[in-house]
Amino acid sequence: MCLKKVFSLVNDSVKIKEAMDVAKNHIISSKTLLDMGQYRNSITLSYYAMYTAAYAALIKKGSNPGTHEGVLSEFARLYVKDGSFSHQIYKTFSYAKASRKDASYDFSINFSEDLAQNTFWDAQIFVEEIEKLLLIK
């Protein structure tokens, strides 16, 4: 194996670890916001926890999509389609993306505690499953 490839693998491992650390921090922040009644912002950070964890998994496969939709579709193609990742858990990522879009752009919506709580729980499970997939603790 050439030195350039070895360096790339080490660099990718660092990026994956850093991304997963960010995802876990988003989970912590989402819970804090949920407890404060800031449901809109909690939903947003729950989604970003999922997005960042999915992105970390894509780094492992050498994929670097440039959009949120790209991360969603590439993750499905590389992990869900072959059964490496639960389709049911993946669907929560898609739902969270739609909720995050509403939270970011539709200011007329009042988000419920139930939606924020469920999105938070889904994000926790999603990030934990990505950790298992990547074998990171």
Side-chain angles (χ1 to χ4, degrees), residues 56-96:
L58 293 176
I59 292 170
K60 184 172 185 174
K61 294 277 191 172
S63 180
N64 185 17
T67 65
H68 287 254
E69 189 58 40
V71 169
L72 196 69
S73 63
E74 271 294 278
F75 187 83
R77 184 178 73 80
L78 294 172
Y79 288 103
V80 179
K81 190 174 182 180
D82 73 358
S84 299
F85 196 84
S86 161
H87 185 264
Q88 190 65 29
I89 296 172
Y90 167 78
K91 284 194 317 189
T92 67
F93 179 30
S94 182
Y95 297 147

Side-chain angles (χ1 to χ4, degrees), residues 8-88:
S8 177
L9 291 173
V10 170
N11 195 31
D12 284 352
S13 294
V14 170
K15 287 179 188 175
I16 291 166
K17 169 118 177 46
E18 290 172 345
M20 290 306 296
D21 287 346
V22 168
K24 290 180 214 175
N25 284 331
H26 284 328
I27 291 290
I28 292 165
S29 297
S30 176
K31 176 66 170 143
T32 300
L33 290 164
L34 178 64
D35 291 344
M36 294 173 57
Q38 299 294 316
Y39 306 135
R40 177 184 301 270
N41 293 327
S42 177
I43 288 166
T44 297
L45 282 181
S46 289
Y47 164 73
Y48 276 110
M50 298 165 108
Y51 171 85
T52 306
Y55 196 86
L58 293 176
I59 292 170
K60 184 172 185 174
K61 294 277 191 172
S63 180
N64 185 17
T67 65
H68 287 254
E69 189 58 40
V71 169
L72 196 69
S73 63
E74 271 294 278
F75 187 83
R77 184 178 73 80
L78 294 172
Y79 288 103
V80 179
K81 190 174 182 180
D82 73 358
S84 299
F85 196 84
S86 161
H87 185 264
Q88 190 65 29

Side-chain angles (χ1 to χ4, degrees), residues 27 46-47 49-50 85 88-93 95-96 114-129:
I27 291 290
S46 289
Y47 164 73
M50 298 165 108
F85 196 84
Q88 190 65 29
I89 296 172
Y90 167 78
K91 284 194 317 189
T92 67
F93 179 30
Y95 297 147
D114 284 345
L115 177 61
Q117 182 72 59
N118 288 334
T119 306
F120 168 74
W121 285 332
D122 290 343
Q124 273 191 307
I125 292 167
F126 189 90
V127 170
E128 288 169 2
E129 290 300 311

